[in-house]
Amino acid sequence: MQLENEAKTMDYNFREIEAKWQKYWATNQTFRALNQSDKPKFYVLDMFPYPSGAGLHVGHPLGYIASDIYARYKRHKGFNVLHPMGYDSFGLPAEQYAIQTGQHPAITTEANIKRYREQLDQLGFSFDWSREVRTSDPGYYKWTQWVFIQLFNSWYNKVTDKAEPISDLISSFERSGNKQIEAACDEDILEFSASDWEQFSHKTKQEILLKYRLTYLADTEVNWCPALGTVLANDEIVNGVSERGGHPVIRKKMTQWSMRITAYAQRLLDGLDTIDWPQPLKDSQTNWIGRSEGALVEFGIHDSEYKIPVFTTRPDTIFGASFMTLAPEHELVRKITTTEQKETIDAYVEATAKRSERDRMADVKTISGAFTGAYAEHPFTKEPIPIWIGDYVLAGYGTGAVMAVPCGDQRDYDFAKHFGIPIPNIFDGVDISEEAFADKANTVIANSDFLNGLSFKEATSKVIGELEKIGQGEGKINYRLRDAVFSRQRYWGEPFPVYYVEGMPQMIADEHLPLELPEVEKYLPTETGEPPLGNATTWAWDVEKCLVVDNQKIDHKTVFPLELNTMPGWAGSSQYFNRYMDSTNAEAIYSKEAIGYWQDVDLYIGGSEHATGHLLYSRFWQKFLFDKGIAPKEEFAKKLINQGMITGTSAFVYKDMDSNRVYSKGLLEGRNIIPIHADVSLVNSSDELDVEAFKQWLPEYKEAEFVLEDGRYIVGREIEKMSKSKYNVVNPDLICEEYGADSLRLYEMFLGPLEQSKPWNTAGISGVHSFLKKLWKLYTSVDDSEASAENLKTLHKTIKKVEEDIENFSFNTSVSTFMICVNELTAQKCHSRRILEPLAILVSPYAPHIAEELWEKLGHSQSISEAVFPKFEEKHLVENSKEYPISFNGKMRFKLELPLDLAKDEIEAVVMAHEKTRAQLDGRTPKKVIVVPGKIVNIVG
RNA sequence: GCCUUGGUGGCGGAAUUGGUAGACGCGCUGGAUUCAAAAUCCAGUUCUUUCGGGAGUGUGGGUUCGAUUCCCACCCAAGGUACCA
């Protein structure tokens, strides 16, 4: 290998070239972006990675390559481009590694980051590394804590529809109590006057304010994972078990920090119309927020002062309500159940509490419930309505109670049928003997007193009016979205800047941030079940010294305990895109000038799996920061692209169950075999297994007999998600070593459309690699000769296509275009600098190393990165003749070269006179001849 | 179930507003070069055929002079979601 390279110095030596330019870019800080420029700004952002111990596989860089192409293209187009990168470096794997080995997560994280950086550098990305952020860096999480404090000190005013300072709310309370306040807040707030407020104790005031703050402490029913000793968010649970680790999860009440994201539900919905994000992603956010319009109806209970509020989307069907169902967890269940029914109800409640979410989910067919013995009173007919409980009603949605209208809702219908509850029909001319009638559009109400004859819409507004009159209801919009639990019982996360006085949370003043993570002996929860920070011995706040001090000094006078929870994974990623604008600023989250200049992200590329997590929380924080005047834009990213997943091609060997033989793929018939994953690196591109290497890799097969076909062992292939456990992971390092980063970049783009998921198959990489070699060869002798018309045509059609492709994120077709271009120029024996210079610039976003080298060879001393993108000129593509496809009944039968200035009837005359036309027609007379000049001729008949 | 995306050669995929289906690449076949190999280059490669053609973009209909593209119904695959009142 070494000898060959030396012998052929003129060859494309990618190893040397790529190392050279990576060094050049680093030394010259080629991609450093300044926060001011005469050029227009453009911000290209990638989702920053969690630096895992496994390093990058070929699936990771897909989005990074695409964004890098776009960033480099925009530099050629004269933009001041911000293209930063960093690490989402808090997270569970490092913590679990710490639990196992005792090694501090910071050390593991540092080592992983180092490896990631090497791999990223190797791929030639044009990141501005001077702006790197790490969420676990105190200099960074200082500002995560700071945003948290801002949220704590804010409430949501529904009148102005924005977040406002909590101090304004306090002034209102002092002036006139809370009667006129319309806030996004807890539901259980009692009314109080100004004088009430004045008389409340300090602690009571604090308790009331917590119900208004945008981040607040509350007892929440949470998903507790005993194995991890932590609470999980809904989106961290997959199939009822923890996403990481697969441990069981149970429901439990805990005091937790929550984020009042529900205050922003409507704005998060409305904002979707203003951003250019993929429709499926918008749809999933819309569904997640889950807006539904309806009414809140209050039902009285017979012989009781309790009332049951119910949310319904069909208030028009209120006269069809024949029973009511409460969630088994509903707080009124205990209070209203009659003595006769107590045993039944208790048994049912206990049974559902035992059932995991997973059971309840898997078992949708079984209808279950129990009668409480109590009756509600219909608001209009005053008739008694039996109150049932059933696990099809969820405690967490609406009010945890439904007004059951069996004729109009299939679940209510099934429940009524099962328990023999009457099903009154309130629809005109509809048969409900088989199933419920839920078609709103065709609803005509009957048997409903003042609603008779009305449509869904008319009846709804009428009944809401009547409910308001009698004070038993109102129109209401309900959201499925819940407030986000923000506490985690973990070590490796941001500490809350919070200490407790009389059990009430107090914020540490901004100037003492960051509150740094304390050292702990063990990273597990404490023996008393407290979070890992409970193991810290120096974790108390001295309000006089403004310092973290020894726990033994806690006296609840000047030294107080600190919060033991840490923030969740999404805390650090919810504002990182803004921090890049001014990432080293120690005085502010970012300067007004920096964010005033960069404004927002112009292009964000990342995976669709973050649709309802990171991307929703980030939009929420951004809207909050916008309300506070800290961010100038209400949406942080104008355009977003989801890159598809790269799947791996797994390889299988087939073990015979009945013997110690392993059969090649073609020999399986009639045998009882089990497929075993083989590491894909042991298989060549012809699916042939290196048997000796396999035996070494899996020693248990050392003695096995491998039965070959035609002297080879052929593996089976299957497309699966790329994953370490399936041994189908392809490491980019090996490909860089063998073919170079430029080849890898081109190949990842060449695989197919960016947004679709596609299989990885290393076999095809030789194609793009030989393209680069051909490109290289084209520059071996460059001269100053005039470019021929043919040369210019090739170049300009390439410019046009590549420019269109990049603008449309269709990177795969650009690679084909380059191949065609180089093939044509090679055939044309083109040596002209006038062609080859612009071509180098065109290629440079895709294959930057070779482009820099060729640029230098062409005699330039500056980097190609800011060379002006070639201008497309239509004149080089003008043709004066066209090879017309001549089709018969829509099928192309032959082609005919004709001048483009020929008129319609002239074309027809020439075509009809042609001998092939006569042969095709075979004596028939055509019914019709369609001529589209410049396009096609179609003869019908 | 619902929402979303997709279905085109042996494979990845291309086809701008309806106008030459299969660009480009892989693989395969044959050839050149070579002592041989690698590398490189040339030719061919949707299926079928009586070599004139004929059929063909998941299936079945429809609109049109003309449909991979538009409309209707259905099938399959991937991803998301989950009893949301």
Side-chain angles (χ1 to χ4, degrees), chain A residues 218-231:
Chain A
D219 281 339
T220 13
E221 183 127 312
V222 293
N223 304 303
W224 174 253
C225 179
L228 297 176
T230 187
V231 167

Side-chain angles (χ1 to χ4, degrees), chain A residues 322-391:
Chain A
S322 61
F323 63 102
M324 181 171 278
T325 318
L326 305 187
E329 301 92 335
H330 199 286
E331 54 167 8
L332 278 181
V333 173
R334 276 180 301 121
K335 298 173 181 167
I336 60 170
T337 302
T338 59
T339 27
E340 301 86 72
Q341 291 300 108
K342 191 167 185 313
E343 215 172 299
T344 320
I345 289 290
D346 284 352
Y348 185 75
V349 170
E350 203 185 320
T352 38
K354 266 190 204 152
R355 292 178 77 192
S356 66
E357 286 274 299
R358 195 185 199 173
D359 287 345
R360 274 168 82 163
M361 231 168 68
D363 186 21
V364 277
K365 290 260 153 66
T366 317
I367 294 158
S368 71
F371 179 45
T372 62
Y375 290 86
E377 184 188 79
H378 193 282
F380 298 112
T381 66
K382 304 294 176 197
E383 282 186 23
I385 296 173
I387 302 172
W388 288 68
I389 62 173
D391 66 3

Side-chain angles (χ1 to χ4, degrees), chain A residues 552-572:
Chain A
Q552 293 182 344
K553 293 189 178 157
I554 294 174
D555 57 6
H556 295 282
K557 291 184 188 110
T558 60
V559 180
F560 300 95
L562 281 160
E563 167 74 53
L564 299 180
N565 288 294
T566 54
M567 298 186 194
W570 54 271

Side-chain angles (χ1 to χ4, degrees), chain A residues 427-438:
Chain A
F427 299 116
D428 195 23
V430 170
D431 174 28
I432 54 149
S433 59
E434 290 300 322
E435 56 177 8
F437 177 74

Side-chain angles (χ1 to χ4, degrees), chain A residues 1 5 11-15 17-18 735-748 750 762-777 815 819 822 847 850:
Chain A
M1 209 37 147
N5 283 346
D11 273 3
Y12 167 46
N13 186 341
F14 58 86
R15 285 192 197 91
I17 292 169
E18 292 181 357
I735 294 169
C736 276
E737 179 59 26
E738 200 174 341
Y739 297 98
D742 284 340
S743 290
L744 179 65
R745 290 170 64 109
L746 280 173
Y747 188 57
E748 292 223 2
F750 190 58
T762 317
I765 200 165
S766 63
V768 291
H769 188 67
S770 48
F771 156 73
L772 287 175
K773 284 197 242 178
K774 282 187 218 165
L775 177 75
W776 181 260
K777 228 185 238 169
V815 180
M819 289 173 172
V822 167
I850 193 173

Side-chain angles (χ1 to χ4, degrees), chain A residues 620-772:
Chain A
F620 157 47
W621 277 37
Q622 180 76 5
K623 284 180 190 299
F624 169 70
L625 294 173
F626 173 79
D627 286 353
K628 301 291 288 179
I630 297 163
K633 290 285 178 78
E634 197 168 342
E635 295 289 345
F636 75 91
K638 283 195 198 85
K639 183 171 180 69
L640 185 140
I641 299 265
N642 287 133
Q643 91 270 16
M645 187 174 66
I646 287 194
T647 49
T649 314
S650 302
F652 295 90
V653 299
Y654 300 96
K655 166 89 173 68
D656 187 13
M657 301 271 276
D658 311 318
S659 68
N660 198 21
R661 296 201 184 99
V662 179
Y663 287 96
S664 183
K665 191 193 167 193
L667 309 170
L668 304 181
E669 264 199 39
R671 292 183 209 282
N672 186 16
I673 50 101
I674 42 165
I676 315 266
H677 274 105
D679 194 302
V680 289
S681 64
L682 307 174
V683 180
N684 71 10
S685 57
S686 317
D687 296 345
E688 192 181 339
L689 179 74
D690 182 338
V691 174
E692 283 314 307
F694 180 82
K695 285 182 172 176
Q696 230 165 42
W697 179 65
L698 271 188
E700 60 205 87
Y701 286 88
K702 223 169 186 151
E703 303 304 320
E705 184 193 340
F706 282 74
V707 185
L708 314 179
E709 46 182 322
D710 304 330
R712 307 185 302 170
Y713 188 97
I714 304 298
V715 296
R717 291 290 205 172
E718 214 171 287
I719 308 263
E720 296 181 292
K721 186 180 169 161
M722 198 172 271
S723 150
K724 242 180 140 182
S725 63
K726 300 189 196 309
Y727 301 107
N728 62 359
V729 170
V730 181
N731 186 305
D733 302 7
L734 294 172
I735 294 169
C736 276
E737 179 59 26
E738 200 174 341
Y739 297 98
D742 284 340
S743 290
L744 179 65
R745 290 170 64 109
L746 280 173
Y747 188 57
E748 292 223 2
M749 292 299 103
F750 190 58
L751 278 178
L754 178 63
E755 301 187 54
Q756 280 170 28
S757 81
K758 48 209 164 266
W760 178 267
N761 179 1
T762 317
I765 200 165
S766 63
V768 291
H769 188 67
S770 48
F771 156 73
L772 287 175

Side-chain angles (χ1 to χ4, degrees), chain A residues 529-564:
Chain A
E530 282 179 327
L533 292 194
N535 292 316
T537 51
T538 308
W539 196 239
W541 186 249
D542 185 324
V543 294
E544 285 181 335
K545 294 188 191 135
C546 296
L547 276 176
V548 177
V549 296
D550 198 292
N551 293 5
Q552 293 182 344
K553 293 189 178 157
I554 294 174
D555 57 6
H556 295 282
K557 291 184 188 110
T558 60
V559 180
F560 300 95
L562 281 160
E563 167 74 53
L564 299 180

